[in-house]
PDB file of all heavy atoms in Angstrom:
ATOM      1  N   ALA S 158      91.784  98.464  95.991  1.00 90.00           N
ATOM      2  CA  ALA S 158      93.210  98.256  96.258  1.00 90.00           C
ATOM      3  C   ALA S 158      94.062  98.791  95.092  1.00 90.00           C
ATOM      4  O   ALA S 158      95.083  99.463  95.312  1.00 90.00           O
ATOM      5  CB  ALA S 158      93.469  96.775  96.509  1.00 90.00           C
ATOM      6  N   ALA S 159      93.639  98.520  93.864  1.00 91.00           N
ATOM      7  CA  ALA S 159      94.383  99.003  92.729  1.00 91.00           C
ATOM      8  C   ALA S 159      94.402 100.518  92.686  1.00 91.00           C
ATOM      9  O   ALA S 159      95.489 101.126  92.393  1.00 91.00           O
ATOM     10  CB  ALA S 159      93.739  98.460  91.424  1.00 91.00           C
ATOM     11  N   ARG S 160      93.319 101.156  93.033  1.00 89.00           N
ATOM     12  CA  ARG S 160      93.256 102.621  93.037  1.00 89.00           C
ATOM     13  C   ARG S 160      94.241 103.185  94.038  1.00 89.00           C
ATOM     14  O   ARG S 160      94.915 104.171  93.820  1.00 89.00           O
ATOM     15  CB  ARG S 160      91.856 103.107  93.354  1.00 89.00           C
ATOM     16  CG  ARG S 160      91.671 104.623  93.201  1.00 89.00           C
ATOM     17  CD  ARG S 160      90.208 105.069  93.347  1.00 89.00           C
ATOM     18  NE  ARG S 160      89.337 104.532  92.316  1.00 89.00           N
ATOM     19  CZ  ARG S 160      88.389 103.644  92.499  1.00 89.00           C
ATOM     20  NH1 ARG S 160      88.135 103.223  93.744  1.00 89.00           N
ATOM     21  NH2 ARG S 160      87.629 103.191  91.546  1.00 89.00           N
ATOM     22  N   ARG S 161      94.355 102.516  95.207  1.00 87.00           N
ATOM     23  CA  ARG S 161      95.257 103.007  96.275  1.00 87.00           C
ATOM     24  C   ARG S 161      96.733 102.824  95.900  1.00 87.00           C
ATOM     25  O   ARG S 161      97.598 103.609  96.318  1.00 87.00           O
ATOM     26  CB  ARG S 161      94.932 102.202  97.568  1.00 87.00           C
ATOM     27  CG  ARG S 161      95.804 102.541  98.758  1.00 87.00           C
ATOM     28  CD  ARG S 161      95.608 103.968  99.245  1.00 87.00           C
ATOM     29  NE  ARG S 161      96.555 104.378 100.244  1.00 87.00           N
ATOM     30  CZ  ARG S 161      97.806 104.757 100.032  1.00 87.00           C
ATOM     31  NH1 ARG S 161      98.302 104.784  98.805  1.00 87.00           N
ATOM     32  NH2 ARG S 161      98.588 105.116 101.067  1.00 87.00           N
ATOM     33  N   LEU S 162      97.020 101.800  95.086  1.00 88.00           N
ATOM     34  CA  LEU S 162      98.405 101.437  94.864  1.00 88.00           C
ATOM     35  C   LEU S 162      98.974 101.965  93.535  1.00 88.00           C
ATOM     36  O   LEU S 162     100.199 101.976  93.352  1.00 88.00           O
ATOM     37  CB  LEU S 162      98.577  99.907  94.874  1.00 88.00           C
ATOM     38  CG  LEU S 162      98.317  99.294  96.282  1.00 88.00           C
ATOM     39  CD1 LEU S 162      98.171  97.802  96.181  1.00 88.00           C
ATOM     40  CD2 LEU S 162      99.453  99.679  97.232  1.00 88.00           C
ATOM     41  N   LEU S 163      98.110 102.353  92.612  1.00 89.00           N
ATOM     42  CA  LEU S 163      98.593 102.843  91.313  1.00 89.00           C
ATOM     43  C   LEU S 163      98.650 104.337  91.284  1.00 89.00           C
ATOM     44  O   LEU S 163      97.717 105.022  91.736  1.00 89.00           O
ATOM     45  CB  LEU S 163      97.701 102.338  90.184  1.00 89.00           C
ATOM     46  CG  LEU S 163      97.771 100.851  89.936  1.00 89.00           C
ATOM     47  CD1 LEU S 163      96.706 100.416  88.932  1.00 89.00           C
ATOM     48  CD2 LEU S 163      99.167 100.470  89.404  1.00 89.00           C
ATOM     49  N   ALA S 164      99.810 104.878  90.782  1.00 80.00           N
ATOM     50  CA  ALA S 164      99.975 106.320  90.806  1.00 80.00           C
ATOM     51  C   ALA S 164      99.392 106.959  89.525  1.00 80.00           C
ATOM     52  O   ALA S 164      99.562 108.140  89.297  1.00 80.00           O
ATOM     53  CB  ALA S 164     101.462 106.631  90.900  1.00 80.00           C
ATOM     54  N   THR S 165      98.695 106.148  88.703  1.00 77.00           N
ATOM     55  CA  THR S 165      98.167 106.666  87.471  1.00 77.00           C
ATOM     56  C   THR S 165      96.724 107.103  87.606  1.00 77.00           C
ATOM     57  O   THR S 165      96.024 106.643  88.534  1.00 77.00           O
ATOM     58  CB  THR S 165      98.253 105.589  86.376  1.00 77.00           C
ATOM     59  OG1 THR S 165      97.852 104.357  86.929  1.00 77.00           O
ATOM     60  CG2 THR S 165      99.686 105.410  85.878  1.00 77.00           C
ATOM     61  N   LYS S 166      96.258 107.897  86.646  1.00 81.00           N
ATOM     62  CA  LYS S 166      94.818 108.332  86.698  1.00 81.00           C
ATOM     63  C   LYS S 166      93.980 107.395  85.836  1.00 81.00           C
ATOM     64  O   LYS S 166      94.503 106.585  85.102  1.00 81.00           O
ATOM     65  CB  LYS S 166      94.740 109.772  86.129  1.00 81.00           C
ATOM     66  CG  LYS S 166      95.415 110.778  87.041  1.00 81.00           C
ATOM     67  CD  LYS S 166      95.001 112.197  86.629  1.00 81.00           C
ATOM     68  CE  LYS S 166      95.326 113.226  87.658  1.00 81.00           C
ATOM     69  NZ  LYS S 166      96.747 113.276  88.017  1.00 81.00           N
ATOM     70  N   GLY S 167      92.654 107.540  85.899  1.00 88.00           N
ATOM     71  CA  GLY S 167      91.757 106.733  85.100  1.00 88.00           C
ATOM     72  C   GLY S 167      91.296 105.486  85.863  1.00 88.00           C
ATOM     73  O   GLY S 167      91.536 105.361  87.074  1.00 88.00           O
ATOM     74  N   ASP S 168      90.653 104.570  85.138  1.00 92.00           N
ATOM     75  CA  ASP S 168      90.123 103.351  85.779  1.00 92.00           C
ATOM     76  C   ASP S 168      91.289 102.507  86.246  1.00 92.00           C
ATOM     77  O   ASP S 168      92.128 102.076  85.455  1.00 92.00           O
ATOM     78  CB  ASP S 168      89.301 102.564  84.730  1.00 92.00           C
ATOM     79  CG  ASP S 168      88.684 101.316  85.318  1.00 92.00           C
ATOM     80  OD1 ASP S 168      89.376 100.616  86.084  1.00 92.00           O
ATOM     81  OD2 ASP S 168      87.537 101.013  85.014  1.00 92.00           O
ATOM     82  N   PRO S 169      91.348 102.217  87.572  1.00 93.00           N
ATOM     83  CA  PRO S 169      92.538 101.526  88.100  1.00 93.00           C
ATOM     84  C   PRO S 169      92.665 100.122  87.552  1.00 93.00           C
ATOM     85  O   PRO S 169      93.798  99.598  87.407  1.00 93.00           O
ATOM     86  CB  PRO S 169      92.311 101.510  89.624  1.00 93.00           C
ATOM     87  CG  PRO S 169      90.865 101.760  89.787  1.00 93.00           C
ATOM     88  CD  PRO S 169      90.370 102.552  88.643  1.00 93.00           C
ATOM     89  N   LEU S 170      91.523  99.445  87.251  1.00 95.00           N
ATOM     90  CA  LEU S 170      91.629  98.071  86.740  1.00 95.00           C
ATOM     91  C   LEU S 170      92.158  98.071  85.306  1.00 95.00           C
ATOM     92  O   LEU S 170      92.908  97.194  84.900  1.00 95.00           O
ATOM     93  CB  LEU S 170      90.294  97.358  86.880  1.00 95.00           C
ATOM     94  CG  LEU S 170      89.806  97.192  88.321  1.00 95.00           C
ATOM     95  CD1 LEU S 170      88.470  96.412  88.374  1.00 95.00           C
ATOM     96  CD2 LEU S 170      90.817  96.585  89.234  1.00 95.00           C
ATOM     97  N   ASP S 171      91.720  99.064  84.519  1.00 95.00           N
ATOM     98  CA  ASP S 171      92.286  99.163  83.147  1.00 95.00           C
ATOM     99  C   ASP S 171      93.793  99.463  83.210  1.00 95.00           C
ATOM    100  O   ASP S 171      94.603  98.943  82.454  1.00 95.00           O
ATOM    101  CB  ASP S 171      91.607 100.293  82.370  1.00 95.00           C
ATOM    102  CG  ASP S 171      90.167  99.933  81.985  1.00 95.00           C
ATOM    103  OD1 ASP S 171      89.824  98.733  82.021  1.00 95.00           O
ATOM    104  OD2 ASP S 171      89.378 100.862  81.737  1.00 95.00           O
ATOM    105  N   GLN S 172      94.135 100.373  84.139  1.00 94.00           N
ATOM    106  CA  GLN S 172      95.558 100.737  84.274  1.00 94.00           C
ATOM    107  C   GLN S 172      96.390  99.498  84.668  1.00 94.00           C
ATOM    108  O   GLN S 172      97.486  99.249  84.166  1.00 94.00           O
ATOM    109  CB  GLN S 172      95.758 101.819  85.356  1.00 94.00           C
ATOM    110  CG  GLN S 172      95.022 103.102  85.074  1.00 94.00           C
ATOM    111  CD  GLN S 172      95.594 103.832  83.877  1.00 94.00           C
ATOM    112  OE1 GLN S 172      96.754 103.688  83.532  1.00 94.00           O
ATOM    113  NE2 GLN S 172      94.736 104.586  83.199  1.00 94.00           N
ATOM    114  N   LEU S 173      95.847  98.749  85.598  1.00 95.00           N
ATOM    115  CA  LEU S 173      96.572  97.517  86.068  1.00 95.00           C
ATOM    116  C   LEU S 173      96.720  96.513  84.942  1.00 95.00           C
ATOM    117  O   LEU S 173      97.791  95.946  84.724  1.00 95.00           O
ATOM    118  CB  LEU S 173      95.817  96.927  87.230  1.00 95.00           C
ATOM    119  CG  LEU S 173      96.444  95.666  87.831  1.00 95.00           C
ATOM    120  CD1 LEU S 173      97.899  95.903  88.257  1.00 95.00           C
ATOM    121  CD2 LEU S 173      95.640  95.155  88.991  1.00 95.00           C
ATOM    122  N   ALA S 174      95.642  96.345  84.159  1.00 96.00           N
ATOM    123  CA  ALA S 174      95.704  95.404  83.038  1.00 96.00           C
ATOM    124  C   ALA S 174      96.761  95.828  82.021  1.00 96.00           C
ATOM    125  O   ALA S 174      97.504  94.984  81.495  1.00 96.00           O
ATOM    126  CB  ALA S 174      94.340  95.309  82.375  1.00 96.00           C
ATOM    127  N   THR S 175      96.928  97.140  81.834  1.00 95.00           N
ATOM    128  CA  THR S 175      97.900  97.663  80.882  1.00 95.00           C
ATOM    129  C   THR S 175      99.293  97.365  81.387  1.00 95.00           C
ATOM    130  O   THR S 175     100.221  97.101  80.590  1.00 95.00           O
ATOM    131  CB  THR S 175      97.722  99.210  80.740  1.00 95.00           C
ATOM    132  OG1 THR S 175      96.358  99.432  80.360  1.00 95.00           O
ATOM    133  CG2 THR S 175      98.632  99.799  79.719  1.00 95.00           C
ATOM    134  N   LEU S 176      99.524  97.399  82.692  1.00 95.00           N
ATOM    135  CA  LEU S 176     100.850  97.110  83.221  1.00 95.00           C
ATOM    136  C   LEU S 176     101.141  95.619  83.219  1.00 95.00           C
ATOM    137  O   LEU S 176     102.232  95.157  82.916  1.00 95.00           O
ATOM    138  CB  LEU S 176     100.972  97.611  84.690  1.00 95.00           C
ATOM    139  CG  LEU S 176     101.003  99.115  84.918  1.00 95.00           C
ATOM    140  CD1 LEU S 176     100.821  99.382  86.397  1.00 95.00           C
ATOM    141  CD2 LEU S 176     102.335  99.672  84.441  1.00 95.00           C
ATOM    142  N   LEU S 177     100.069  94.834  83.578  1.00 97.00           N
ATOM    143  CA  LEU S 177     100.306  93.416  83.744  1.00 97.00           C
ATOM    144  C   LEU S 177     100.677  92.629  82.502  1.00 97.00           C
ATOM    145  O   LEU S 177     101.514  91.733  82.562  1.00 97.00           O
ATOM    146  CB  LEU S 177      98.994  92.794  84.334  1.00 97.00           C
ATOM    147  CG  LEU S 177      98.982  92.544  85.847  1.00 97.00           C
ATOM    148  CD1 LEU S 177      97.576  92.160  86.253  1.00 97.00           C
ATOM    149  CD2 LEU S 177      99.975  91.443  86.201  1.00 97.00           C
ATOM    150  N   GLY S 178     100.046  93.016  81.366  1.00 97.00           N
ATOM    151  CA  GLY S 178     100.345  92.294  80.143  1.00 97.00           C
ATOM    152  C   GLY S 178     101.844  92.218  79.843  1.00 97.00           C
ATOM    153  O   GLY S 178     102.433  91.145  79.754  1.00 97.00           O
ATOM    154  N   PRO S 179     102.531  93.413  79.765  1.00 97.00           N
ATOM    155  CA  PRO S 179     103.949  93.389  79.503  1.00 97.00           C
ATOM    156  C   PRO S 179     104.790  92.721  80.603  1.00 97.00           C
ATOM    157  O   PRO S 179     105.739  92.008  80.310  1.00 97.00           O
ATOM    158  CB  PRO S 179     104.338  94.874  79.391  1.00 97.00           C
ATOM    159  CG  PRO S 179     103.038  95.588  79.065  1.00 97.00           C
ATOM    160  CD  PRO S 179     101.925  94.736  79.709  1.00 97.00           C
TER     161      PRO S 179
END
Side-chain angles (χ1 to χ4, degrees):
R160 187 173 297 112
R161 177 66 187 81
L162 293 167
L163 290 172
T165 45
K166 292 194 167 56
D168 183 319
L170 298 183
D171 289 340
Q172 301 293 334
L173 180 56
T175 305
L176 290 168
L177 259 172

